[in-house]
Amino acid sequence: MSSNKAVVCPEPGVVEVIDTPFPTFELTDGPGVNPANVGRKVPHGVILRTVATNICGSDQHMVRGRTTAPTGLVLGHEITGEVIEVGRDVEFIKVGDIVSVPFNISCGRCRNCKEQKTGICLNVNPDRPGSAYGYVDMGGWVGGQAEYVLVPYADWNLLRFPDRDQALEKIMDLTMLSDILPTGFHGAVTAGVTVGSTVYVAGAGPVGLAAAASAQLLGAAVVIVGDLNEDRLAQARSFGCEGINVAHGDPADQIEQLLGVREVDAGIDAVGFEARGHGHGAGAAEAPATVLNSLMDLTAAGGSLGIPGLYVTGDPGAADEAAQKGSLSLSLGTGWAKSLSFTTGQCPAMKYNRALMMAILHDRIHIAKAVNAQAILLEDAPRGYAEFDAGAATKYVLNPNGYLNR
């Protein structure tokens, strides 16, 4: 086999499907590949035929030109696949296994991996801790929005589904295990959500909806989701959340109308660095610190903020010079005065994915329905990106090899 089609961004605002090399067990030069990784041998890896690979809001930031991602980078870090070839050092993963790939690439050997901090592995990115497939400054590992993809440290990284037929039956749910479900769950866990909690989730995109569904799974009494997009708010309401449109005013005012108080027990930021101001309609100007400062205001003293929303250190499209470097005008004094806790950074997907797999397999959560997952062909990726960028209340799942037709 030598052919492989993949999704790339050749210039800001443009998505294309191209022919790209079939993966091998050695890293080769290409867009975004760290020079120190070129020639790196991967005998511990496997090659997957992609079963499903999803379009993520984090991909959208790169397509919009809001990161320092190089042109031509193969996109995609949400990967589910079938093993078709194993490296010589792979012991437990077998050809034919259906597996979920955590979006964090981790070695399983370093101190951070051994402490379950797989989002900041020390060995897979020569520049800094942490790596991912097809993402800016993440070590240059090729993305998974493709027909075939290489996964390193396979025995460590891959989550094998216990039954092939069952996995394919529930594949639209299980494909969310690579990123958004663990990420949303991490946001809820780090926000301190527990039985009886009142929760506010900023953002009704797929990660926000996953965080809301996760809060319900954890036993929250009330989950409130805020956004500017009425279609996405309707999606949140479809599985039992309250929805508030932040274009209509201060979220705290609207929370008070629902709960009788202006604060919640736990706050989750699922928006990130392209946040817009509140109370100014759908055309509100970008104000990247808006969500974080709002969450500090409306989270009760002693509470916690889970921040799965993406923030970057390089944003050429930011509104001012400080924000271009990731420096935001945070009201840290508010956080200090209220003794709030904050958790940011990549979700360590492996910490949660097996437990969440069991919740899916035993019908404790229906995440595909919650995020309105829809399968489209790989060649339809440009349309999926365009519709998602326009605000579609949909999680697009690419179907490169026909598994989702079965």
Short mmCIF file of all heavy atoms in Angstrom, two decimals, residues 94-121:
data_model
loop_
_atom_site.label_atom_id
_atom_site.label_comp_id
_atom_site.label_asym_id
_atom_site.label_seq_id
_atom_site.Cartn_x
_atom_site.Cartn_y
_atom_site.Cartn_z
N LYS A 94 -2.74 -5.95 18.74
CA LYS A 94 -2.69 -6.90 17.64
C LYS A 94 -3.38 -6.34 16.39
O LYS A 94 -4.27 -5.48 16.49
CB LYS A 94 -3.39 -8.21 18.02
CG LYS A 94 -2.85 -8.85 19.30
CD LYS A 94 -1.39 -9.23 19.22
CE LYS A 94 -0.91 -9.90 20.49
NZ LYS A 94 0.57 -10.16 20.46
N VAL A 95 -2.96 -6.85 15.23
CA VAL A 95 -3.65 -6.51 13.99
C VAL A 95 -5.13 -6.90 14.11
O VAL A 95 -5.46 -7.99 14.61
CB VAL A 95 -2.99 -7.24 12.80
CG1 VAL A 95 -3.84 -7.10 11.54
CG2 VAL A 95 -1.59 -6.70 12.55
N GLY A 96 -6.00 -6.00 13.71
CA GLY A 96 -7.43 -6.23 13.80
C GLY A 96 -8.10 -5.56 14.98
O GLY A 96 -9.33 -5.45 15.02
N ASP A 97 -7.31 -5.12 15.97
CA ASP A 97 -7.90 -4.43 17.12
C ASP A 97 -8.52 -3.10 16.69
O ASP A 97 -7.96 -2.38 15.86
CB ASP A 97 -6.83 -4.14 18.18
CG ASP A 97 -6.39 -5.39 18.94
OD1 ASP A 97 -7.11 -6.40 18.90
OD2 ASP A 97 -5.32 -5.33 19.58
N ILE A 98 -9.68 -2.78 17.26
CA ILE A 98 -10.30 -1.46 17.10
C ILE A 98 -9.94 -0.66 18.34
O ILE A 98 -10.18 -1.11 19.47
CB ILE A 98 -11.83 -1.56 16.94
CG1 ILE A 98 -12.20 -2.49 15.78
CG2 ILE A 98 -12.42 -0.16 16.72
CD1 ILE A 98 -11.85 -1.99 14.41
N VAL A 99 -9.37 0.53 18.12
CA VAL A 99 -8.77 1.26 19.23
C VAL A 99 -9.11 2.74 19.17
O VAL A 99 -9.34 3.31 18.10
CB VAL A 99 -7.23 1.09 19.23
CG1 VAL A 99 -6.84 -0.36 19.50
CG2 VAL A 99 -6.62 1.57 17.91
N SER A 100 -9.11 3.35 20.35
CA SER A 100 -9.18 4.81 20.46
C SER A 100 -7.79 5.34 20.73
O SER A 100 -7.01 4.75 21.48
CB SER A 100 -10.12 5.20 21.61
OG SER A 100 -10.15 6.61 21.76
N VAL A 101 -7.47 6.47 20.11
CA VAL A 101 -6.16 7.09 20.24
C VAL A 101 -6.30 8.36 21.08
O VAL A 101 -6.90 9.33 20.61
CB VAL A 101 -5.57 7.45 18.87
CG1 VAL A 101 -4.16 8.01 19.01
CG2 VAL A 101 -5.59 6.25 17.93
N PRO A 102 -5.77 8.41 22.29
CA PRO A 102 -5.77 9.67 23.03
C PRO A 102 -5.06 10.75 22.22
O PRO A 102 -4.02 10.49 21.61
CB PRO A 102 -5.00 9.35 24.31
CG PRO A 102 -5.08 7.87 24.45
CD PRO A 102 -5.11 7.33 23.05
N PHE A 103 -5.61 11.95 22.21
CA PHE A 103 -5.00 12.99 21.38
C PHE A 103 -3.63 13.40 21.90
O PHE A 103 -2.78 13.86 21.14
CB PHE A 103 -5.91 14.22 21.28
CG PHE A 103 -5.94 15.10 22.51
CD1 PHE A 103 -5.14 16.22 22.58
CD2 PHE A 103 -6.78 14.81 23.57
CE1 PHE A 103 -5.17 17.05 23.69
CE2 PHE A 103 -6.82 15.63 24.68
CZ PHE A 103 -6.01 16.75 24.75
N ASN A 104 -3.37 13.21 23.22
CA ASN A 104 -2.02 13.45 23.74
C ASN A 104 -1.13 12.31 23.29
O ASN A 104 -1.47 11.14 23.47
CB ASN A 104 -1.97 13.45 25.27
CG ASN A 104 -3.21 13.97 25.95
OD1 ASN A 104 -4.03 13.19 26.42
ND2 ASN A 104 -3.33 15.27 26.03
N ILE A 105 0.03 12.63 22.74
CA ILE A 105 1.03 11.61 22.47
C ILE A 105 1.94 11.54 23.70
O ILE A 105 2.48 12.56 24.13
CB ILE A 105 1.85 11.95 21.22
CG1 ILE A 105 0.92 12.08 20.01
CG2 ILE A 105 2.91 10.87 20.96
CD1 ILE A 105 1.60 12.58 18.77
N SER A 106 2.11 10.35 24.25
CA SER A 106 2.92 10.22 25.46
C SER A 106 3.72 8.92 25.40
O SER A 106 3.34 7.97 24.72
CB SER A 106 2.04 10.25 26.71
OG SER A 106 1.04 9.24 26.68
N CYS A 107 4.84 8.92 26.11
CA CYS A 107 5.78 7.81 25.99
C CYS A 107 5.54 6.70 27.00
O CYS A 107 5.95 5.56 26.80
CB CYS A 107 7.21 8.34 26.15
SG CYS A 107 7.64 8.85 27.84
N GLY A 108 4.89 7.01 28.14
CA GLY A 108 4.67 6.03 29.18
C GLY A 108 5.88 5.75 30.04
O GLY A 108 5.81 4.94 30.97
N ARG A 109 6.98 6.44 29.79
CA ARG A 109 8.23 6.15 30.46
C ARG A 109 8.73 7.28 31.36
O ARG A 109 9.48 7.06 32.30
CB ARG A 109 9.33 5.84 29.42
CG ARG A 109 9.05 4.59 28.60
CD ARG A 109 9.74 4.69 27.25
NE ARG A 109 9.84 3.43 26.52
CZ ARG A 109 8.85 2.89 25.84
NH1 ARG A 109 7.67 3.48 25.80
NH2 ARG A 109 9.04 1.75 25.19
N CYS A 110 8.35 8.50 31.04
CA CYS A 110 8.89 9.66 31.77
C CYS A 110 8.15 9.86 33.10
O CYS A 110 7.11 9.25 33.37
CB CYS A 110 8.80 10.92 30.92
SG CYS A 110 7.13 11.55 30.68
N ARG A 111 8.68 10.75 33.91
CA ARG A 111 8.08 11.02 35.21
C ARG A 111 6.63 11.47 35.08
O ARG A 111 5.75 11.02 35.83
CB ARG A 111 8.91 12.09 35.93
CG ARG A 111 8.27 12.59 37.21
CD ARG A 111 9.09 13.67 37.88
NE ARG A 111 8.39 14.20 39.04
CZ ARG A 111 8.92 15.10 39.88
NH1 ARG A 111 10.14 15.55 39.68
NH2 ARG A 111 8.22 15.54 40.91
N ASN A 112 6.38 12.39 34.14
CA ASN A 112 5.02 12.91 34.02
C ASN A 112 4.03 11.82 33.60
O ASN A 112 2.92 11.75 34.14
CB ASN A 112 4.99 14.08 33.03
CG ASN A 112 5.58 15.35 33.62
OD1 ASN A 112 5.85 15.42 34.82
ND2 ASN A 112 5.79 16.35 32.77
N CYS A 113 4.41 10.99 32.66
CA CYS A 113 3.51 9.90 32.25
C CYS A 113 3.21 8.97 33.42
O CYS A 113 2.06 8.54 33.61
CB CYS A 113 4.13 9.11 31.10
SG CYS A 113 4.05 9.94 29.50
N LYS A 114 4.23 8.67 34.21
CA LYS A 114 4.04 7.77 35.35
C LYS A 114 3.16 8.40 36.43
O LYS A 114 2.61 7.68 37.26
CB LYS A 114 5.39 7.35 35.92
CG LYS A 114 6.16 6.43 34.97
CD LYS A 114 7.52 6.04 35.51
CE LYS A 114 8.24 5.10 34.55
NZ LYS A 114 9.58 4.69 35.04
N GLU A 115 3.01 9.72 36.38
CA GLU A 115 2.13 10.42 37.33
C GLU A 115 0.79 10.77 36.69
O GLU A 115 0.06 11.62 37.20
CB GLU A 115 2.84 11.67 37.85
CG GLU A 115 4.07 11.37 38.71
CD GLU A 115 4.81 12.62 39.15
OE1 GLU A 115 4.44 13.74 38.72
OE2 GLU A 115 5.76 12.49 39.94
N GLN A 116 0.45 10.13 35.56
CA GLN A 116 -0.80 10.33 34.83
C GLN A 116 -0.91 11.71 34.20
O GLN A 116 -1.99 12.15 33.83
CB GLN A 116 -2.03 10.08 35.72
CG GLN A 116 -2.21 8.62 36.12
CD GLN A 116 -3.56 8.38 36.74
OE1 GLN A 116 -3.96 9.06 37.68
NE2 GLN A 116 -4.29 7.40 36.24
N LYS A 117 0.20 12.40 34.01
CA LYS A 117 0.20 13.71 33.37
C LYS A 117 0.58 13.56 31.90
O LYS A 117 1.54 14.15 31.41
CB LYS A 117 1.17 14.64 34.10
CG LYS A 117 0.86 14.84 35.57
CD LYS A 117 1.97 15.62 36.27
CE LYS A 117 1.73 15.74 37.77
NZ LYS A 117 2.87 16.39 38.46
N THR A 118 -0.20 12.78 31.18
CA THR A 118 0.16 12.43 29.82
C THR A 118 0.03 13.60 28.85
O THR A 118 0.55 13.53 27.73
CB THR A 118 -0.69 11.26 29.32
OG1 THR A 118 -2.09 11.57 29.49
CG2 THR A 118 -0.37 9.99 30.09
N GLY A 119 -0.63 14.66 29.25
CA GLY A 119 -0.70 15.85 28.41
C GLY A 119 0.60 16.64 28.38
O GLY A 119 0.76 17.53 27.54
N ILE A 120 1.53 16.32 29.28
CA ILE A 120 2.81 17.02 29.32
C ILE A 120 3.95 16.02 29.39
O ILE A 120 4.89 16.15 30.17
CB ILE A 120 2.89 18.04 30.48
CG1 ILE A 120 2.34 17.45 31.79
CG2 ILE A 120 2.15 19.33 30.12
CD1 ILE A 120 2.52 18.34 33.00
N CYS A 121 3.87 15.00 28.51
CA CYS A 121 4.95 14.03 28.38
C CYS A 121 6.25 14.75 28.06
O CYS A 121 6.28 15.72 27.29
CB CYS A 121 4.61 13.03 27.29
SG CYS A 121 5.95 11.87 26.88
#
